[in-house]
Amino acid sequence: MNFEQIYQQNPDFPNRYISPEKLFSYLQVNLSDYIQEIGKSYLEKPIYKLTIGSGNINVLAWSQMHGNESNATHAMLDLLITLDKAQELKEELFSKIRLDFIFMLNPDGSHKWMRLNAAEIDLNRDFHNEASKEIKILKKTAASEKYDYALNLHEQRTIFTTDGVHPATLSFLAPSENIERTVTDNRKKCMAVIAEVYRHLKELIPNQIGRYSDEFYPASTGDNFIKSGMPTILFEGGHFVGDYIRKETRKYYTIALYYALKAISELNSGIDGWETYLDIPENKETHYDIIYRNVKLNTDHECILDVAVQYREIVEDGKDEISFVPFVMEVGDVKKRKGWLEIDCTGKKFISATKYPKLDAVAEFRIE
């Protein structure tokens, strides 16, 4: 039985946006035997840890360190509901591992659909300063026992591809422990797990799995956890063509989470097959969401150029789903980038209240 064949989306969470209150209620009603409150956010929202499994291999994972990255929360919810329908797979996995999963580490940011917490701190750059309550909770949990692996679960922007053509729907990283990016034994442990995930998913989403940059970030969580001795694997959920709500990404993220946990249970800190990690192509920054090509502006002299647009995601009051607002990112010769949507404006009119599209402003022009 393959996990991908039985995958189910949790029907209680159909939207990309997850209300913290809805999540808290769901956890209390459906998973009360497995959860405990481990602290409160800056705005006093609860932060919950779910513990499942009886195995000897201890795994720590956390979602929504950045509030506008919900795929990992979805993945854990989908994983649990899928495994409930496949008791054999569930028992096999959780007899070998014990998983502590922190749901929505940044509930304040999640509520507002923003990267930072309510004190405007990036939790993923607060490892040493500990200016946020939330990073203290994560570090305290990580120090509470000996974890064999950690999963640092994130999402990345639509700008990334694996090869300049295919989107980086999933990217992974065995973080560096130092500026020299030395391939240490702990990094090899992470690489071996990622290699197994890659082996399972590369046929499902060919050319859509990337390797995140292994530049060492002195203040980041994953780099410091692995530096301290805990093998830490970075997940990044990205774009799937035509899927801005990320339902397809969510599906493959969940499948990847399952196979990562399965690999952890089987490798048990081994490094067999780690070299395959190096076969995964590195992320490339190549795309905008939309590029308008050959736009003729309403100027006194002939002016034909490209206009690149990127969506910004916001939560509007009264709406259950995020909205996508187009912003102008680049105007001029944008030949070095591609658009997930490209519109040839040759022979068409540029209709706007301003002569030029304004950079870093809402794209309020029309093409007719």
Side-chain angles (χ1 to χ4, degrees):
M1 185 189 296
N2 290 329
F3 183 87
E4 56 271 26
Q5 294 170 330
I6 59 169
Y7 165 79
Q8 290 187 355
Q9 179 179 299
N10 187 313
D12 287 293
F13 297 90
N15 298 327
R16 188 168 166 205
Y17 177 75
I18 300 175
S19 154
E21 286 69 29
K22 184 177 178 180
L23 175 67
F24 303 156
S25 174
Y26 179 88
L27 295 177
Q28 288 157 1
V29 170
N30 296 279
L31 295 164
S32 59
D33 291 344
Y34 300 94
I35 63 166
Q36 67 177 108
E37 184 179 320
I38 55 171
K40 291 191 184 295
S41 68
Y42 182 82
L43 295 179
E44 295 296 308
K45 282 185 166 64
I47 295 170
Y48 290 106
K49 180 184 75 175
L50 174 141
T51 300
I52 186 169
S54 57
N56 296 321
I57 304 167
N58 292 321
V59 184
L60 175 65
W62 57 95
S63 72
Q64 282 182 273
M65 169 176 265
H66 293 140
N68 59 351
E69 299 176 3
S70 61
N71 257 164
T73 303
H74 280 126
M76 190 62 198
L77 294 167
D78 291 358
L79 176 73
L80 292 173
I81 207 160
T82 301
L83 288 178
D84 279 344
K85 304 280 196 283
Q87 286 299 317
E88 191 177 325
L89 287 185
K90 185 177 182 178
E91 288 169 14
E92 182 185 9
L93 179 64
F94 290 118
S95 66
K96 295 178 181 175
I97 69 168
R98 179 178 174 276
L99 173 64
D100 283 343
F101 190 99
I102 300 173
F103 276 102
M104 202 176 269
L105 181 65
N106 179 8
D108 302 338
S110 300
H111 174 71
K112 291 197 169 183
W113 195 253
M114 64 182 192
R115 180 180 178 87
L116 308 179
N117 77 346
E120 299 191 345
I121 296 167
D122 184 341
L123 304 186
N124 204 27
R125 295 291 182 271
D126 189 36
F127 192 89
H128 298 300
N129 286 344
E130 294 190 3
S132 63
K133 291 177 69 175
E134 296 89 349
I135 203 70
K136 289 177 183 175
I137 291 166
L138 177 61
K139 289 179 70 174
K140 182 179 178 182
T141 303
S144 66
E145 63 179 274
K146 171 73 169 66
Y147 286 103
D148 301 290
Y149 295 88
L151 303 179
N152 184 14
L153 306 173
H154 288 266
E155 285 183 61
Q156 61 190 357
R157 291 170 291 164
T158 60
I159 61 176
F160 293 112
T161 63
T162 61
D163 54 7
V165 177
H166 298 89
T169 302
L170 292 174
S171 296
F172 301 96
L173 174 67
S176 295
E177 299 181 35
N178 52 39
I179 293 172
E180 296 76 24
R181 310 182 191 192
T182 307
V183 179
T184 61
D185 283 345
N186 274 339
R187 290 194 73 195
K188 287 179 182 178
K189 290 176 186 178
C190 299
M191 291 174 182
V193 172
I194 295 167
E196 276 298 293
V197 174
Y198 179 61
R199 187 172 69 81
H200 282 284
L201 271 83
K202 67 180 179 179
E203 304 302 326
L204 296 176
I205 43 172
N207 305 307
Q208 289 177 230
I209 300 172
R211 186 154 46 101
Y212 205 78
S213 166
D214 67 349
E215 178 184 351
F216 179 70
Y217 292 97
S220 79
T221 305
D223 300 47
N224 279 288
F225 273 151
I226 196 167
K227 185 179 176 182
S228 71
M230 181 167 62
T232 304
I233 297 164
L234 174 72
F235 275 55
E236 293 278 356
H239 189 51
F240 190 103
V241 174
D243 176 37
Y244 281 89
I245 298 300
R246 297 201 169 179
K247 286 188 183 297
E248 290 297 306
T249 305
R250 166 182 179 169
K251 172 184 174 181
Y252 294 112
Y253 204 120
T254 309
I255 295 167
L257 179 59
Y258 169 75
Y259 282 115
L261 294 172
K262 188 170 187 289
I264 284 169
S265 75
E266 293 170 348
L267 285 162
N268 194 11
S269 297
I271 61 171
D272 288 353
W274 72 269
E275 298 92 345
T276 301
Y277 171 84
L278 303 174
D279 296 339
I280 304 172
E282 288 190 22
N283 276 5
K284 300 180 188 304
E285 194 173 320
T286 63
H287 274 59
Y288 287 113
D289 289 324
I290 307 171
I291 298 180
Y292 296 88
R293 299 286 187 194
N294 308 309
V295 177
K296 185 177 181 181
L297 300 183
N298 302 319
T299 53
D300 297 333
H301 59 285
E302 183 167 273
C303 183
I304 298 174
L305 41 68
D306 300 329
V307 181
V309 168
Q310 196 74 9
Y311 290 123
R312 290 190 190 169
E313 301 167 1
I314 63 167
V315 172
E316 298 178 89
D317 288 343
K319 290 194 176 180
D320 294 330
E321 187 55 286
I322 58 175
S323 300
F324 297 89
V325 181
F327 273 72
V328 176
M329 301 305 295
E330 195 173 343
V331 177
D333 182 354
V334 193
K335 299 292 188 295
K336 290 182 180 178
R337 291 283 194 102
K338 297 176 184 176
W340 294 118
L341 174 63
E342 297 212 359
I343 300 170
D344 186 0
C345 301
T346 303
K348 296 180 180 177
K349 278 190 170 183
F350 172 78
I351 299 172
S352 173
T354 58
K355 282 188 178 181
Y356 299 93
K358 189 176 179 183
L359 285 175
D360 207 34
V362 178
E364 294 183 311
F365 58 84
R366 303 196 318 274
I367 304 291
E368 293 183 357

mmCIF file of all heavy atoms in Angstrom, residues 218-249:
data_model
loop_
_atom_site.group_PDB
_atom_site.id
_atom_site.type_symbol
_atom_site.label_atom_id
_atom_site.label_comp_id
_atom_site.label_asym_id
_atom_site.label_seq_id
_atom_site.Cartn_x
_atom_site.Cartn_y
_atom_site.Cartn_z
ATOM 1 N N PRO A 218 23.741 32.569 10.492
ATOM 2 C CA PRO A 218 24.126 32.478 11.914
ATOM 3 C C PRO A 218 22.978 32.609 12.905
ATOM 4 O O PRO A 218 23.080 32.127 14.028
ATOM 5 C CB PRO A 218 25.125 33.630 12.081
ATOM 6 C CG PRO A 218 25.638 33.903 10.704
ATOM 7 C CD PRO A 218 24.509 33.605 9.779
ATOM 8 N N ALA A 219 21.889 33.291 12.515
ATOM 9 C CA ALA A 219 20.795 33.520 13.472
ATOM 10 C C ALA A 219 19.602 32.603 13.247
ATOM 11 O O ALA A 219 18.618 32.692 13.970
ATOM 12 C CB ALA A 219 20.333 34.981 13.390
ATOM 13 N N SER A 220 19.665 31.717 12.243
ATOM 14 C CA SER A 220 18.476 30.937 11.900
ATOM 15 C C SER A 220 18.342 29.678 12.760
ATOM 16 O O SER A 220 19.317 29.144 13.290
ATOM 17 C CB SER A 220 18.471 30.561 10.422
ATOM 18 O OG SER A 220 19.325 29.479 10.188
ATOM 19 N N THR A 221 17.116 29.201 12.872
ATOM 20 C CA THR A 221 16.800 28.103 13.780
ATOM 21 C C THR A 221 17.423 26.791 13.337
ATOM 22 O O THR A 221 18.110 26.124 14.114
ATOM 23 C CB THR A 221 15.268 27.949 13.875
ATOM 24 O OG1 THR A 221 14.711 29.205 14.258
ATOM 25 C CG2 THR A 221 14.881 26.892 14.891
ATOM 26 N N GLY A 222 17.167 26.407 12.084
ATOM 27 C CA GLY A 222 17.649 25.122 11.611
ATOM 28 C C GLY A 222 19.160 25.002 11.668
ATOM 29 O O GLY A 222 19.698 23.979 12.109
ATOM 30 N N ASP A 223 19.863 26.066 11.251
ATOM 31 C CA ASP A 223 21.330 26.049 11.245
ATOM 32 C C ASP A 223 21.875 25.887 12.662
ATOM 33 O O ASP A 223 22.848 25.167 12.891
ATOM 34 C CB ASP A 223 21.876 27.337 10.621
ATOM 35 C CG ASP A 223 21.426 27.535 9.184
ATOM 36 O OD1 ASP A 223 20.220 27.364 8.916
ATOM 37 O OD2 ASP A 223 22.244 27.867 8.327
ATOM 38 N N ASN A 224 21.237 26.543 13.618
ATOM 39 C CA ASN A 224 21.718 26.460 15.002
ATOM 40 C C ASN A 224 21.347 25.150 15.680
ATOM 41 O O ASN A 224 22.128 24.629 16.483
ATOM 42 C CB ASN A 224 21.188 27.656 15.803
ATOM 43 C CG ASN A 224 22.016 28.899 15.559
ATOM 44 O OD1 ASN A 224 23.142 29.010 16.016
ATOM 45 N ND2 ASN A 224 21.462 29.826 14.796
ATOM 46 N N PHE A 225 20.183 24.593 15.345
ATOM 47 C CA PHE A 225 19.834 23.288 15.908
ATOM 48 C C PHE A 225 20.803 22.211 15.424
ATOM 49 O O PHE A 225 21.279 21.388 16.202
ATOM 50 C CB PHE A 225 18.399 22.909 15.541
ATOM 51 C CG PHE A 225 17.362 23.435 16.501
ATOM 52 C CD1 PHE A 225 16.079 23.721 16.052
ATOM 53 C CD2 PHE A 225 17.639 23.629 17.841
ATOM 54 C CE1 PHE A 225 15.103 24.200 16.923
ATOM 55 C CE2 PHE A 225 16.679 24.104 18.726
ATOM 56 C CZ PHE A 225 15.411 24.395 18.257
ATOM 57 N N ILE A 226 21.113 22.224 14.114
ATOM 58 C CA ILE A 226 22.024 21.196 13.608
ATOM 59 C C ILE A 226 23.443 21.448 14.136
ATOM 60 O O ILE A 226 24.180 20.503 14.427
ATOM 61 C CB ILE A 226 21.979 21.100 12.067
ATOM 62 C CG1 ILE A 226 22.612 19.775 11.607
ATOM 63 C CG2 ILE A 226 22.630 22.290 11.391
ATOM 64 C CD1 ILE A 226 22.353 19.437 10.149
ATOM 65 N N LYS A 227 23.796 22.702 14.300
ATOM 66 C CA LYS A 227 25.108 23.045 14.868
ATOM 67 C C LYS A 227 25.227 22.527 16.295
ATOM 68 O O LYS A 227 26.313 22.134 16.739
ATOM 69 C CB LYS A 227 25.292 24.569 14.814
ATOM 70 C CG LYS A 227 26.652 25.069 15.258
ATOM 71 C CD LYS A 227 26.713 26.588 15.138
ATOM 72 C CE LYS A 227 28.034 27.131 15.671
ATOM 73 N NZ LYS A 227 28.080 28.604 15.612
ATOM 74 N N SER A 228 24.105 22.515 17.017
ATOM 75 C CA SER A 228 24.117 22.044 18.409
ATOM 76 C C SER A 228 24.092 20.523 18.509
ATOM 77 O O SER A 228 24.171 19.970 19.609
ATOM 78 C CB SER A 228 22.919 22.621 19.164
ATOM 79 O OG SER A 228 21.714 22.016 18.732
ATOM 80 N N GLY A 229 23.936 19.846 17.362
ATOM 81 C CA GLY A 229 24.002 18.386 17.372
ATOM 82 C C GLY A 229 22.718 17.672 16.995
ATOM 83 O O GLY A 229 22.692 16.437 16.949
ATOM 84 N N MET A 230 21.638 18.402 16.729
ATOM 85 C CA MET A 230 20.365 17.771 16.375
ATOM 86 C C MET A 230 20.160 17.830 14.860
ATOM 87 O O MET A 230 19.970 18.909 14.306
ATOM 88 C CB MET A 230 19.204 18.484 17.090
ATOM 89 C CG MET A 230 17.846 17.880 16.793
ATOM 90 S SD MET A 230 16.534 18.472 17.919
ATOM 91 C CE MET A 230 16.503 20.236 17.560
ATOM 92 N N PRO A 231 20.205 16.692 14.174
ATOM 93 C CA PRO A 231 19.973 16.691 12.722
ATOM 94 C C PRO A 231 18.624 17.331 12.394
ATOM 95 O O PRO A 231 17.589 16.909 12.909
ATOM 96 C CB PRO A 231 19.986 15.204 12.366
ATOM 97 C CG PRO A 231 20.802 14.562 13.440
ATOM 98 C CD PRO A 231 20.500 15.343 14.684
ATOM 99 N N THR A 232 18.653 18.368 11.565
ATOM 100 C CA THR A 232 17.462 19.171 11.296
ATOM 101 C C THR A 232 17.243 19.287 9.797
ATOM 102 O O THR A 232 18.142 19.692 9.068
ATOM 103 C CB THR A 232 17.608 20.576 11.919
ATOM 104 O OG1 THR A 232 17.881 20.427 13.319
ATOM 105 C CG2 THR A 232 16.361 21.405 11.730
ATOM 106 N N ILE A 233 16.048 18.937 9.359
ATOM 107 C CA ILE A 233 15.722 18.919 7.934
ATOM 108 C C ILE A 233 14.739 20.035 7.626
ATOM 109 O O ILE A 233 13.709 20.167 8.290
ATOM 110 C CB ILE A 233 15.108 17.559 7.539
ATOM 111 C CG1 ILE A 233 16.132 16.444 7.771
ATOM 112 C CG2 ILE A 233 14.645 17.569 6.080
ATOM 113 C CD1 ILE A 233 15.519 15.057 7.787
ATOM 114 N N LEU A 234 15.073 20.843 6.631
ATOM 115 C CA LEU A 234 14.195 21.930 6.202
ATOM 116 C C LEU A 234 13.294 21.455 5.062
ATOM 117 O O LEU A 234 13.772 20.875 4.088
ATOM 118 C CB LEU A 234 15.025 23.118 5.723
ATOM 119 C CG LEU A 234 14.251 24.286 5.116
ATOM 120 C CD1 LEU A 234 13.487 25.053 6.185
ATOM 121 C CD2 LEU A 234 15.188 25.228 4.351
ATOM 122 N N PHE A 235 12.006 21.687 5.216
ATOM 123 C CA PHE A 235 11.015 21.495 4.154
ATOM 124 C C PHE A 235 10.609 22.879 3.643
ATOM 125 O O PHE A 235 10.386 23.792 4.443
ATOM 126 C CB PHE A 235 9.738 20.854 4.694
ATOM 127 C CG PHE A 235 9.730 19.357 4.798
ATOM 128 C CD1 PHE A 235 10.718 18.689 5.500
ATOM 129 C CD2 PHE A 235 8.710 18.615 4.232
ATOM 130 C CE1 PHE A 235 10.688 17.315 5.638
ATOM 131 C CE2 PHE A 235 8.667 17.239 4.354
ATOM 132 C CZ PHE A 235 9.653 16.578 5.049
ATOM 133 N N GLU A 236 10.436 23.014 2.340
ATOM 134 C CA GLU A 236 9.891 24.238 1.759
ATOM 135 C C GLU A 236 8.823 23.842 0.737
ATOM 136 O O GLU A 236 9.120 23.205 -0.267
ATOM 137 C CB GLU A 236 10.982 25.052 1.049
ATOM 138 C CG GLU A 236 12.044 25.626 1.965
ATOM 139 C CD GLU A 236 11.624 26.920 2.652
ATOM 140 O OE1 GLU A 236 10.509 27.424 2.347
ATOM 141 O OE2 GLU A 236 12.388 27.433 3.473
ATOM 142 N N GLY A 237 7.561 24.200 1.016
ATOM 143 C CA GLY A 237 6.499 23.992 0.038
ATOM 144 C C GLY A 237 6.450 25.186 -0.896
ATOM 145 O O GLY A 237 6.500 26.326 -0.445
ATOM 146 N N GLY A 238 6.353 24.928 -2.203
ATOM 147 C CA GLY A 238 6.385 26.019 -3.174
ATOM 148 C C GLY A 238 5.231 25.975 -4.155
ATOM 149 O O GLY A 238 4.150 25.470 -3.857
ATOM 150 N N HIS A 239 5.480 26.493 -5.341
ATOM 151 C CA HIS A 239 4.433 26.686 -6.346
ATOM 152 C C HIS A 239 4.157 25.398 -7.121
ATOM 153 O O HIS A 239 5.050 24.583 -7.339
ATOM 154 C CB HIS A 239 4.874 27.784 -7.316
ATOM 155 C CG HIS A 239 3.820 28.234 -8.275
ATOM 156 N ND1 HIS A 239 2.560 28.607 -7.877
ATOM 157 C CD2 HIS A 239 3.843 28.366 -9.635
ATOM 158 C CE1 HIS A 239 1.855 28.965 -8.944
ATOM 159 N NE2 HIS A 239 2.597 28.819 -10.016
ATOM 160 N N PHE A 240 2.911 25.241 -7.506
ATOM 161 C CA PHE A 240 2.487 24.223 -8.461
ATOM 162 C C PHE A 240 1.670 24.990 -9.488
ATOM 163 O O PHE A 240 0.765 25.738 -9.124
ATOM 164 C CB PHE A 240 1.638 23.147 -7.768
ATOM 165 C CG PHE A 240 1.354 21.942 -8.610
ATOM 166 C CD1 PHE A 240 2.056 20.760 -8.413
ATOM 167 C CD2 PHE A 240 0.375 21.970 -9.607
ATOM 168 C CE1 PHE A 240 1.799 19.629 -9.193
ATOM 169 C CE2 PHE A 240 0.115 20.861 -10.388
ATOM 170 C CZ PHE A 240 0.829 19.688 -10.178
ATOM 171 N N VAL A 241 1.994 24.831 -10.769
ATOM 172 C CA VAL A 241 1.413 25.695 -11.801
ATOM 173 C C VAL A 241 -0.115 25.701 -11.725
ATOM 174 O O VAL A 241 -0.755 24.651 -11.679
ATOM 175 C CB VAL A 241 1.888 25.266 -13.206
ATOM 176 C CG1 VAL A 241 1.163 26.075 -14.290
ATOM 177 C CG2 VAL A 241 3.394 25.473 -13.340
ATOM 178 N N GLY A 242 -0.680 26.916 -11.676
ATOM 179 C CA GLY A 242 -2.120 27.088 -11.638
ATOM 180 C C GLY A 242 -2.748 26.854 -10.277
ATOM 181 O O GLY A 242 -3.976 26.802 -10.163
ATOM 182 N N ASP A 243 -1.925 26.726 -9.249
ATOM 183 C CA ASP A 243 -2.430 26.305 -7.930
ATOM 184 C C ASP A 243 -1.952 27.270 -6.840
ATOM 185 O O ASP A 243 -1.128 26.921 -6.004
ATOM 186 C CB ASP A 243 -1.951 24.872 -7.640
ATOM 187 C CG ASP A 243 -2.343 24.378 -6.253
ATOM 188 O OD1 ASP A 243 -3.442 24.712 -5.787
ATOM 189 O OD2 ASP A 243 -1.537 23.657 -5.631
ATOM 190 N N TYR A 244 -2.483 28.500 -6.865
ATOM 191 C CA TYR A 244 -2.054 29.480 -5.872
ATOM 192 C C TYR A 244 -2.620 29.190 -4.481
ATOM 193 O O TYR A 244 -2.060 29.621 -3.476
ATOM 194 C CB TYR A 244 -2.409 30.899 -6.331
ATOM 195 C CG TYR A 244 -1.419 31.415 -7.348
ATOM 196 C CD1 TYR A 244 -1.609 31.195 -8.712
ATOM 197 C CD2 TYR A 244 -0.269 32.076 -6.951
ATOM 198 C CE1 TYR A 244 -0.691 31.645 -9.647
ATOM 199 C CE2 TYR A 244 0.664 32.530 -7.871
ATOM 200 C CZ TYR A 244 0.446 32.311 -9.225
ATOM 201 O OH TYR A 244 1.377 32.731 -10.132
ATOM 202 N N ILE A 245 -3.703 28.447 -4.402
ATOM 203 C CA ILE A 245 -4.247 28.054 -3.103
ATOM 204 C C ILE A 245 -3.432 26.887 -2.523
ATOM 205 O O ILE A 245 -3.549 26.528 -1.369
ATOM 206 C CB ILE A 245 -5.747 27.688 -3.233
ATOM 207 C CG1 ILE A 245 -6.530 28.912 -3.710
ATOM 208 C CG2 ILE A 245 -6.336 27.218 -1.926
ATOM 209 C CD1 ILE A 245 -6.455 30.114 -2.782
ATOM 210 N N ARG A 246 -2.570 26.313 -3.347
ATOM 211 C CA ARG A 246 -1.600 25.281 -2.943
ATOM 212 C C ARG A 246 -2.231 23.973 -2.470
ATOM 213 O O ARG A 246 -1.716 23.309 -1.570
ATOM 214 C CB ARG A 246 -0.608 25.825 -1.906
ATOM 215 C CG ARG A 246 0.227 26.965 -2.474
ATOM 216 C CD ARG A 246 1.529 27.233 -1.749
ATOM 217 N NE ARG A 246 2.359 28.150 -2.531
ATOM 218 C CZ ARG A 246 3.541 28.600 -2.164
ATOM 219 N NH1 ARG A 246 4.057 28.220 -1.012
ATOM 220 N NH2 ARG A 246 4.225 29.410 -2.942
ATOM 221 N N LYS A 247 -3.332 23.580 -3.091
ATOM 222 C CA LYS A 247 -3.932 22.282 -2.766
ATOM 223 C C LYS A 247 -3.039 21.142 -3.245
ATOM 224 O O LYS A 247 -2.891 20.124 -2.561
ATOM 225 C CB LYS A 247 -5.328 22.167 -3.394
ATOM 226 C CG LYS A 247 -6.381 23.005 -2.695
ATOM 227 C CD LYS A 247 -7.764 22.717 -3.223
ATOM 228 C CE LYS A 247 -8.813 23.619 -2.580
ATOM 229 N NZ LYS A 247 -8.943 23.425 -1.131
ATOM 230 N N GLU A 248 -2.455 21.288 -4.441
ATOM 231 C CA GLU A 248 -1.549 20.256 -4.946
ATOM 232 C C GLU A 248 -0.264 20.224 -4.117
ATOM 233 O O GLU A 248 0.235 19.162 -3.776
ATOM 234 C CB GLU A 248 -1.234 20.499 -6.422
ATOM 235 C CG GLU A 248 -2.402 20.262 -7.360
ATOM 236 C CD GLU A 248 -2.860 18.813 -7.344
ATOM 237 O OE1 GLU A 248 -2.022 17.920 -7.566
ATOM 238 O OE2 GLU A 248 -4.057 18.576 -7.098
ATOM 239 N N THR A 249 0.259 21.398 -3.812
ATOM 240 C CA THR A 249 1.460 21.462 -2.966
ATOM 241 C C THR A 249 1.192 20.800 -1.628
ATOM 242 O O THR A 249 2.016 20.029 -1.118
ATOM 243 C CB THR A 249 1.878 22.925 -2.758
ATOM 244 O OG1 THR A 249 2.055 23.547 -4.028
ATOM 245 C CG2 THR A 249 3.178 23.014 -1.971
#
